[in-house]
């Protein structure tokens, strides 16, 4: 079978077929450079924070252009759990409303 993506582009052992997700997927090799830049920025104190914020704003602008929205309409969260939490907190529940969760999908941090 021909893979959709070149397995050589990922950090994973040869002859491994990775079919699990949930935050445990192999990283693209090109992500190593991004992590290294992040680590350098993190170690640089405030100048590094400024550099990180510039990257976020650059990505925000690119996403806004791609989705044809204003850059201020694009938000980023630190994790899926944070995003789901923000979504849940934005819902206006009223007395008598029912919440249905799939026990296999419900995470304690999201319930």
């Amino acid at each position: 079978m021909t893979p959709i993506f070149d397995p050589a582009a990922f950090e994973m052992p040869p002859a491994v077929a990775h079919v699990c997700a949930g935050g445990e997927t192999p990283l693209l090799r090109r992500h190593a450079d991004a992590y290294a830049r992040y680590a350098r920025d993190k170690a640089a104190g405030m100048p590094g924070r400024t550099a990180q914020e510039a990257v976020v704003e650059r990505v925000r602008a690119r996403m806004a252009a791609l989705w044809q929205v204003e850059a201020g309409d694009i938000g980023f969260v630190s994790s899926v759990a944070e995003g789901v939490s923000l979504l849940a907190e934005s819902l206006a529940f009223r007395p008598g409303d029912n919440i249905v969760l799939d026990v296999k999908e419900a995470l304690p941090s999201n319930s």
Side-chain angles (χ1 to χ4, degrees), residues 23-109:
E24 302 301 330
T25 55
L27 295 177
L28 286 166
R29 293 184 187 279
R30 67 181 181 216
H31 289 169
D33 290 338
Y35 276 119
R37 283 192 307 275
Y38 173 77
R40 284 192 302 272
D41 287 344
K42 192 92 168 129
M46 284 309 294
R49 181 176 295 275
T50 300
Q52 289 176 22
E53 290 169 356
V55 170
V56 169
E57 291 310 314
R58 196 165 53 248
V59 171
R60 187 185 317 276
R62 291 178 72 179
M63 293 304 301
L66 180 66
W67 290 342
Q68 299 177 356
V69 299
E70 295 296 320
D73 292 339
I74 304 293
F76 298 107
V77 294
S78 63
S79 66
V80 172
E82 181 186 13
V84 171
S85 177
L86 286 170
L87 174 65
E89 290 172 7
S90 73
L91 300 174
F93 294 112
R94 297 174 300 215
D97 285 350
N98 292 309
I99 300 172
V100 179
L101 301 173
D102 180 340
V103 70
K104 293 179 183 176
E105 297 293 329
L107 301 173
S109 62

Side-chain angles (χ1 to χ4, degrees), residues 3 5 7 10-27:
F5 301 102
F10 294 88
E11 287 289 342
M12 62 185 192
V16 169
H18 198 286
V19 294
C20 177
E24 302 301 330
T25 55
L27 295 177

